[in-house]
Amino acid sequence: MNNTGPCKPRGGRAVGWAVLIALLGALIHDPARAADPPVPIERFFERPAIVDLRLSPSGRQLAFTTSAKRQRVGLAVMDLTGSMAGRWVAGFPNVDIDGFQWVNDKQLIFDAYDYQAASGDVHDAPGLHLIKADGSDHLRLPLNLSLLAVVPSHEDEVIVGYWTAGRMTPVWMSTDSGLLRDLDLRAPPSNVERWWFDPQGVPRAVMSKQGKQVSVHWRGASDDGWRQLAEATPEELSFVPKAVDAKGVLYLTQRHGAGRWRALSRYAFALFAASLEQALVCRFCVGLALAGIYPLGMKLVVGWAPERS
């Protein structure tokens, strides 16, 4: 039977491809685009206009570090409730402002570092600094202090690491006077290099190093002592603690996939035994459950099979 319907050209698809290729060729060889000057190589090494930014606890002010209109990274604050005008709070001619945190709505703490200096060079403003949000009451702290945590429940204190003889000890520091006081460390493991605190300032997780091995230890609210969660070389460690919330949940980062991307997750304490005794009890309960369920299940299957056949 002859087809009396409308005739469709067989070359329609080829024509479509030809038009698409022609359009792409026109875009690629656009004289206006070809006339654009190449991007200067210096642009690839410039610092971003905004390096970092953080809202104040009330959300009424925005602090940010920037190198706009200056050679070094400085700290500025913008009022979000009024004219939205920004003001420079801190900056140095020969060093950059690195990390910073809001201590409370009126005060910030930051550290300074020279991004342009060679290794070993020391300038006159490294280390921690305290300053009010309006740029007043600038206090430079001793070089043997490093910021560990800003605790929301303590508006006039932060936790800093006090370095002496190559060893770091966490202590409380007053942000008004800079005075230090002891922090209950709850008898931690030896050779601790990193600390994680809950919102009340209680140490919950630590990372220690012994030779080439690093260990992660945890001490929850109901634990009598520190228990080890993981031990491996730094490259093979399965996770790294990130934060601890008010409910005692440990957040951590884990590497996944061929690209070794980091993913945020929670540590499932219920899936891990805290001691050998707990592991044996868990194993006994699982075996008892299987011993009771498996025979009964097999009887049901055997009794059901003849009826189906």
Side-chain angles (χ1 to χ4, degrees):
M1 181 181 295
N2 294 330
N3 187 359
T4 58
C7 179
K8 296 182 181 180
R10 297 181 180 180
R13 181 175 298 180
V15 172
W17 278 108
V19 172
L20 178 59
I21 293 174
L23 290 175
L24 290 176
L27 289 174
I28 294 173
H29 295 92
D30 184 3
R33 295 178 63 89
D36 291 341
V39 178
I41 191 66
E42 295 82 4
R43 294 291 299 274
F44 293 95
F45 299 94
E46 291 180 353
R47 297 196 178 280
I50 302 296
V51 180
D52 194 8
L53 51 85
R54 296 179 184 274
L55 280 172
S56 64
S58 67
R60 298 178 179 178
Q61 299 180 90
L62 178 68
F64 56 95
T65 46
T66 175
S67 58
K69 299 182 179 180
R70 57 173 59 213
Q71 296 296 320
R72 296 288 187 165
V73 177
L75 178 63
V77 173
M78 178 183 293
D79 185 1
L80 302 180
T81 61
S83 61
M84 303 289 290
R87 59 183 180 275
W88 288 105
V89 173
F92 305 98
N94 56 356
V95 292
D96 304 280
I97 292 181
D98 193 12
F100 70 93
Q101 295 276 353
W102 286 94
V103 177
N104 49 55
D105 248 22
K106 299 180 179 180
Q107 192 176 38
L108 298 108
I109 185 169
F110 65 88
D111 58 358
Y113 181 80
D114 188 357
Y115 290 119
Q116 303 177 16
S119 177
D121 289 352
V122 178
H123 293 286
D124 61 356
L128 286 178
H129 299 253
L130 284 166
I131 198 167
K132 292 295 180 62
D134 60 4
S136 63
D137 296 339
H138 179 197
L139 176 63
R140 179 184 173 186
L141 300 172
L143 291 176
N144 63 337
L145 298 180
S146 58
L147 181 63
L148 296 183
V150 173
V151 183
S153 59
H154 292 66
E155 293 188 355
D156 58 352
E157 284 186 313
V158 294
I159 299 176
V160 296
Y162 176 71
W163 290 87
T164 176
R167 181 180 178 182
M168 186 265 289
T169 304
V171 294
W172 288 105
M173 184 192 73
S174 169
T175 56
D176 293 329
S177 62
L179 296 178
L180 307 178
R181 68 179 180 90
D182 292 337
L183 172 66
D184 183 10
L185 301 179
R186 311 172 74 204
S190 58
N191 303 317
V192 173
E193 294 188 339
R194 298 183 64 182
W195 298 78
W196 289 269
F197 305 85
D198 67 13
Q200 300 299 322
V202 178
R204 294 299 185 192
V206 298
M207 181 180 291
S208 59
K209 185 175 183 180
Q210 189 70 33
K212 296 182 179 181
Q213 299 287 107
V214 293
S215 303
V216 176
H217 288 78
W218 168 264
R219 184 169 182 175
S222 60
D223 293 333
D224 296 329
W226 295 87
R227 50 173 162 148
Q228 182 175 294
L229 302 183
E231 182 179 17
T233 62
E235 297 78 15
E236 298 176 346
L237 194 65
S238 59
F239 66 88
V240 176
K242 187 67 176 179
V244 182
D245 68 11
K247 296 182 179 180
V249 176
L250 173 62
Y251 292 87
L252 48 90
T253 56
Q254 292 178 299
R255 292 191 180 275
H256 296 274
R260 304 294 289 167
W261 299 103
R262 288 191 177 275
L264 184 67
S265 58
R266 294 182 295 181
Y267 189 86
F269 286 99
L271 299 180
F272 298 90
S275 63
L276 178 60
E277 291 78 7
Q278 291 187 16
L280 293 175
V281 171
C282 181
R283 176 66 181 86
F284 175 77
C285 293
V286 171
L288 184 63
L290 291 176
I293 295 174
Y294 182 78
L296 179 61
M298 289 302 297
K299 289 180 179 180
L300 291 176
V301 171
V302 172
W304 172 79
E307 296 178 2
R308 298 289 297 174
S309 61

